[in-house]
Amino acid sequence: EDPALLAAFEARVANDEFIEPKDWMPEAYRRTLTRQISQHAHSEIVGMLPEGNWLTRAPSLKRKAILLAKIQDEGGHGLYLYCAAETLGTSREQMIEALHAGKAKYSTIFNYPTLNWADIGAIGWLVDGAAIMNQVPLQRTSYGPYARAMVRVCKEESFHQRQGYDLLLEMMKGTPEQRAMVQDAMNRWWWPSLMMFGPPDDNSPNSAQSIRWRIKRETNDELRQKFVDATVPQAELLGITVPDPDLQWNEERGHYDFGAIDWNEFYAVVRGEGPVARERMKARRAAWDEGAWVREAAAAWEARQAARRAA
Ligand code: FAQ
């Protein structure tokens, strides 16, 4: 790579300018962005599945309408993100093929099952909460199309987070059984939510370069700490316990100290050994196959319109 081009690129990044699709960029920058944005897109699409599981069993029309809207938003986020990734030169078909072949990663969190209705609240509160914590700084990521996609995505995620918290607040006003369901959901989702931020900084192979190129604006551990600090008071307000005996406010640091994360579990889930990883991929492939006629019909319609325009 031409050192002058590289120096000019690095100067632009250091100056907080956005890099745009037609601008020169180092191949490693293109690669890591394609990797991160496509993984992010896959997470949104696979992330529709755990919630889709509860659409037919939502306890009221209001909750069903909210859940339907949220899942549609996630589909939309996936599509924006595939578009942003495509501007780097990989086609959507290639990315989707990699997902369906089990070669592409998506967030570990979506390999856990949704066992009770409170899980839907916990996903909104904790999973969307973690997603926002990670995505707000990505509005200032150095690649323009990714940064702009994050602006709208973050607005929608904050609605997702609030609907989840509201659902749990309402359940906490209910019967002892309902309150127990909320605690049970918290017990199962807390640790996997902390894992969403990725491996610890000293074990995160991509972080140093991504921070230097301002792809990532904050590190995995910094964001994880912010999430814990923001979420613990919300758990207290709900009236539930955080399943971590080592959790403690540290006056000196001005942050919560928290217990050790089970990184063996994290890496196993990353390797595709998550509790419902097989079901998720099976459902994705089935949705793709069963939707083939829709894609074909849309293409046929488009071809006919083009022929009419030409005539
Ligand atoms: N799961 O060197 P690092 C949502 C992989 S939010 C799986 O630290 P990096 C909204 C990582 O890819 C969820 N794999 O990597 C929603 C890398 O492998 P590679 C999606 C993980 O990229 C809510 C290796 O480990 N959000 O969907 C995970 O610098 C509710 C080494 O890690 C995003 O994707 C993980 N948790 O930092 C939808 C945000 N963590 O590729 C529905 C954008 C790490 O070298 C319902 N992404 N790995 O083979 C990012 O900010 C970053 O990519 C990180 C990882 C922070 C996730």
Side-chain angles (χ1 to χ4, degrees), residues 16-35:
D16 275 339
E17 285 173 44
F18 283 132
I19 304 301
E20 298 298 339
K22 291 193 171 136
D23 295 344
W24 184 89
M25 61 184 82
E27 270 318 298
Y29 180 84
R30 187 184 299 280
R31 251 197 328 273
T32 201
L33 269 169
T34 304
R35 176 185 65 77

Side-chain angles (χ1 to χ4, degrees), residues 32 35-37 39-41 43-48 51 70 74 77 105-110 123-124 127-128 130-131 134-135 138 146 157 160 195-200 203-207 210 216 220 223 266-267 269-270:
T32 201
R35 176 185 65 77
Q36 178 169 327
I37 303 173
Q39 287 174 0
H40 196 164
S43 302
E44 297 281 357
I45 299 296
V46 179
M48 297 166 83
E51 292 170 301
K70 179 185 192 299
E74 281 148 12
H77 298 172
K105 291 193 172 73
Y106 58 89
S107 184
T108 43
I109 193 77
F110 302 116
I123 289 183
V127 177
D128 284 276
N134 165 280
Q135 286 167 177
L138 288 177
Y146 192 24
E157 303 281 38
H160 296 172
M195 294 176 196
M196 285 176 72
F197 295 94
N203 222 344
S204 161
N206 299 300
S207 274
S210 286
K216 285 166 84 165
N220 300 359
L223 292 170
F266 169 78
Y267 287 113
V269 180
V270 171

Side-chain angles (χ1 to χ4, degrees), residues 135-176:
Q135 286 167 177
V136 164
L138 288 177
Q139 294 176 101
R140 294 180 298 113
T141 190
S142 57
Y143 189 55
Y146 192 24
R148 288 186 290 272
M150 283 301 108
V151 175
R152 177 160 176 188
V153 167
C154 283
K155 286 190 181 141
E156 294 180 348
E157 303 281 38
S158 71
F159 150 67
H160 296 172
Q161 203 255 358
R162 297 187 75 138
Q163 67 80 37
Y165 195 68
D166 176 72
L167 187 167
L168 297 177
L169 268 178
E170 197 158 308
M171 283 185 82
M172 290 304 288
K173 291 188 213 136
T175 63

